[in-house]
mmCIF file of all heavy atoms in Angstrom:
data_model
loop_
_atom_site.group_PDB
_atom_site.id
_atom_site.type_symbol
_atom_site.label_atom_id
_atom_site.label_comp_id
_atom_site.label_asym_id
_atom_site.label_seq_id
_atom_site.Cartn_x
_atom_site.Cartn_y
_atom_site.Cartn_z
ATOM 1 N N THR A 374 55.587 101.408 -58.241
ATOM 2 C CA THR A 374 56.342 100.190 -58.091
ATOM 3 C C THR A 374 55.521 98.930 -58.502
ATOM 4 O O THR A 374 54.293 99.056 -58.595
ATOM 5 C CB THR A 374 56.873 99.984 -56.706
ATOM 6 O OG1 THR A 374 55.810 100.037 -55.788
ATOM 7 C CG2 THR A 374 57.887 101.079 -56.345
ATOM 8 N N THR A 375 56.184 97.859 -58.730
ATOM 9 C CA THR A 375 55.507 96.632 -59.195
ATOM 10 C C THR A 375 55.945 95.406 -58.342
ATOM 11 O O THR A 375 56.779 95.537 -57.451
ATOM 12 C CB THR A 375 55.802 96.359 -60.686
ATOM 13 O OG1 THR A 375 57.166 95.971 -60.828
ATOM 14 C CG2 THR A 375 55.566 97.573 -61.518
ATOM 15 N N SER A 376 55.460 94.228 -58.762
ATOM 16 C CA SER A 376 55.925 92.988 -58.134
ATOM 17 C C SER A 376 56.777 92.219 -59.157
ATOM 18 O O SER A 376 56.770 90.979 -59.183
ATOM 19 C CB SER A 376 54.730 92.162 -57.656
ATOM 20 O OG SER A 376 53.810 91.933 -58.760
ATOM 21 N N ASP A 377 57.449 92.946 -60.058
ATOM 22 C CA ASP A 377 58.271 92.329 -61.105
ATOM 23 C C ASP A 377 59.239 91.298 -60.517
ATOM 24 O O ASP A 377 59.808 91.587 -59.436
ATOM 25 C CB ASP A 377 59.034 93.412 -61.851
ATOM 26 C CG ASP A 377 59.731 92.832 -63.060
ATOM 27 O OD1 ASP A 377 59.117 92.664 -64.101
ATOM 28 O OD2 ASP A 377 60.945 92.524 -62.953
ATOM 29 N N HIS A 378 59.436 90.220 -61.225
ATOM 30 C CA HIS A 378 60.290 89.127 -60.661
ATOM 31 C C HIS A 378 61.723 89.520 -60.560
ATOM 32 O O HIS A 378 62.493 88.864 -59.830
ATOM 33 C CB HIS A 378 60.103 87.856 -61.534
ATOM 34 C CG HIS A 378 60.536 88.003 -62.945
ATOM 35 N ND1 HIS A 378 61.567 87.340 -63.488
ATOM 36 C CD2 HIS A 378 60.114 88.838 -63.980
ATOM 37 C CE1 HIS A 378 61.719 87.709 -64.777
ATOM 38 N NE2 HIS A 378 60.859 88.619 -65.043
ATOM 39 N N GLN A 379 62.185 90.567 -61.292
ATOM 40 C CA GLN A 379 63.545 91.083 -61.172
ATOM 41 C C GLN A 379 63.651 92.399 -60.346
ATOM 42 O O GLN A 379 64.745 92.953 -60.274
ATOM 43 C CB GLN A 379 64.120 91.222 -62.562
ATOM 44 C CG GLN A 379 64.281 89.952 -63.328
ATOM 45 C CD GLN A 379 64.971 90.175 -64.678
ATOM 46 O OE1 GLN A 379 65.890 90.983 -64.808
ATOM 47 N NE2 GLN A 379 64.587 89.379 -65.662
ATOM 48 N N GLY A 380 62.517 92.782 -59.807
ATOM 49 C CA GLY A 380 62.480 94.006 -59.053
ATOM 50 C C GLY A 380 62.377 95.211 -59.997
ATOM 51 O O GLY A 380 62.491 95.072 -61.208
ATOM 52 N N ASP A 381 62.129 96.348 -59.424
ATOM 53 C CA ASP A 381 61.982 97.590 -60.224
ATOM 54 C C ASP A 381 63.393 98.178 -60.449
ATOM 55 O O ASP A 381 64.255 98.082 -59.622
ATOM 56 C CB ASP A 381 61.047 98.585 -59.528
ATOM 57 C CG ASP A 381 59.644 98.093 -59.502
ATOM 58 O OD1 ASP A 381 59.133 97.574 -60.484
ATOM 59 O OD2 ASP A 381 58.992 98.138 -58.413
ATOM 60 N N ASP A 382 63.512 98.995 -61.518
ATOM 61 C CA ASP A 382 64.765 99.629 -61.835
ATOM 62 C C ASP A 382 65.117 100.608 -60.717
ATOM 63 O O ASP A 382 64.247 101.395 -60.293
ATOM 64 C CB ASP A 382 64.685 100.346 -63.180
ATOM 65 C CG ASP A 382 64.647 99.393 -64.379
ATOM 66 O OD1 ASP A 382 65.114 98.263 -64.211
ATOM 67 O OD2 ASP A 382 64.163 99.837 -65.396
ATOM 68 N N ILE A 383 66.363 100.526 -60.330
ATOM 69 C CA ILE A 383 66.881 101.447 -59.335
ATOM 70 C C ILE A 383 68.365 101.563 -59.485
ATOM 71 O O ILE A 383 69.071 100.569 -59.851
ATOM 72 C CB ILE A 383 66.524 100.993 -57.890
ATOM 73 C CG1 ILE A 383 66.867 102.046 -56.889
ATOM 74 C CG2 ILE A 383 67.293 99.680 -57.559
ATOM 75 C CD1 ILE A 383 66.386 101.724 -55.453
ATOM 76 N N SER A 384 68.931 102.711 -59.236
ATOM 77 C CA SER A 384 70.386 102.889 -59.369
ATOM 78 C C SER A 384 71.027 102.570 -57.991
ATOM 79 O O SER A 384 70.395 102.841 -56.920
ATOM 80 C CB SER A 384 70.746 104.329 -59.812
ATOM 81 O OG SER A 384 70.336 105.212 -58.799
ATOM 82 N N VAL A 385 72.228 102.132 -58.027
ATOM 83 C CA VAL A 385 72.947 101.908 -56.751
ATOM 84 C C VAL A 385 73.153 103.216 -55.998
ATOM 85 O O VAL A 385 73.246 103.291 -54.798
ATOM 86 C CB VAL A 385 74.247 101.193 -56.977
ATOM 87 C CG1 VAL A 385 74.064 99.742 -57.380
ATOM 88 C CG2 VAL A 385 75.132 101.944 -57.988
ATOM 89 N N GLU A 386 73.229 104.298 -56.809
ATOM 90 C CA GLU A 386 73.418 105.628 -56.210
ATOM 91 C C GLU A 386 72.143 106.015 -55.361
ATOM 92 O O GLU A 386 72.273 106.599 -54.289
ATOM 93 C CB GLU A 386 73.619 106.691 -57.281
ATOM 94 C CG GLU A 386 75.000 106.653 -57.939
ATOM 95 C CD GLU A 386 75.066 105.481 -58.942
ATOM 96 O OE1 GLU A 386 74.058 104.993 -59.411
ATOM 97 O OE2 GLU A 386 76.268 105.082 -59.292
#
Side-chain angles (χ1 to χ4, degrees):
T374 55
T375 70
S376 55
D377 186 83
H378 62 117
Q379 296 185 33
D381 293 316
D382 289 338
I383 190 173
S384 66
V385 290
E386 288 76 19

